[in-house]
Amino acid sequence: MVSNKKRLYIALYPSGVVGNEEQKYHWGFLAGPKIEDEEEVLGMRYHVKNHPLHSWVFEECQVTNVKSTINLLARILIAKVEDEERLTAIFRNTPVVKDDPNWRCRTWVQAVLASIERDGRAVGTSNLSWAEIEPLGREYVGKKAERGRYAVSRIGNMNLPKPTWDMLEHREIVP
């Protein structure tokens, strides 16, 4: 019997910050089923966002299509989910820092990855190394941008599945 464990992805979005390479992308997580055969595949998004009135806030929400959320640039598959409740608890319990001007969404993502690794039971097969994930994500999205993947002329295709790299098998699964 083939396993149908949910998958955990790093999600990269444009941040809106221009001229600062470190802040070029907004980082978060997407979780969804292994099998994505339907046109729309329900999933969850977990991230922190910088709210104008409340500083950084954690957000968890269901998405109607985990393959193509609003503004998503790319997904990086990093883990097979073993215990979704444990994983959700890690997201919810990872601190959101409000009084440090250097704290960012990528700082939170790093902290979540470290917590998942320490926990040892929320995910199974995985690559949780921020030292590998961050440069791979930047390079992957950068190459897609260079090849015109996000060009305005492709706006009509915004609902198509976004580029997805599988870090577990070291291959692209959605171009």
Side-chain angles (χ1 to χ4, degrees):
M1 181 177 191
V2 176
S3 169
N4 193 21
K5 294 177 182 170
K6 288 193 174 181
R7 300 302 193 241
L8 179 63
Y9 302 89
I10 293 288
L12 286 92
Y13 300 89
S15 70
V17 175
V18 179
N20 184 327
E21 192 62 32
E22 184 178 290
Q23 295 177 27
K24 187 173 186 174
Y25 302 112
H26 175 73
W27 300 79
F29 293 93
L30 290 169
K34 174 184 178 180
I35 308 297
E36 296 183 336
D37 291 342
E38 301 298 319
E39 190 171 317
E40 290 188 351
V41 179
L42 291 177
M44 293 295 293
R45 177 176 46 219
Y46 306 92
H47 69 133
V48 293
K49 61 184 189 177
N50 200 356
H51 189 280
L53 300 176
H54 307 291
S55 187
W56 290 97
V57 294
F58 169 72
E59 180 181 81
E60 108 183 47
C61 62
Q62 186 173 47
V63 294
T64 57
N65 192 359
V66 74
K67 299 183 296 182
S68 183
T69 64
I70 295 174
N71 293 330
L72 179 65
L73 296 171
R75 301 182 301 169
I76 310 295
L77 174 60
I78 62 166
K80 296 178 182 180
V81 177
E82 290 288 332
D83 186 330
E84 191 172 4
E85 287 182 25
R86 286 183 85 83
L87 183 59
T88 301
I90 290 169
F91 290 131
R92 290 175 180 163
N93 294 319
T94 300
V96 176
V97 177
K98 297 179 184 270
D99 56 358
D100 180 351
N102 296 314
W103 196 86
R104 305 270 182 268
C105 56
R106 59 192 294 283
T107 314
W108 181 81
V109 167
Q110 277 181 278
V112 168
L113 291 169
S115 293
I116 293 170
E117 191 161 28
R118 274 191 310 275
D119 171 79
R121 294 187 288 174
V123 301
T125 304
S126 62
N127 183 336
L128 304 172
S129 169
W130 180 248
E132 293 178 39
I133 292 168
E134 182 185 30
L136 183 138
R138 289 180 185 281
E139 181 180 347
Y140 186 61
V141 171
K143 284 182 180 178
K144 292 295 180 185
E146 286 172 9
R147 294 182 182 133
R149 180 64 165 84
Y150 311 114
V152 174
S153 62
R154 295 185 81 164
I155 290 292
N157 298 331
M158 291 303 288
N159 291 329
L160 293 176
K162 298 302 187 267
T164 304
W165 183 264
D166 184 333
M167 283 192 79
L168 307 180
E169 295 186 8
H170 309 286
R171 66 183 183 94
E172 187 170 57
I173 51 180
V174 177

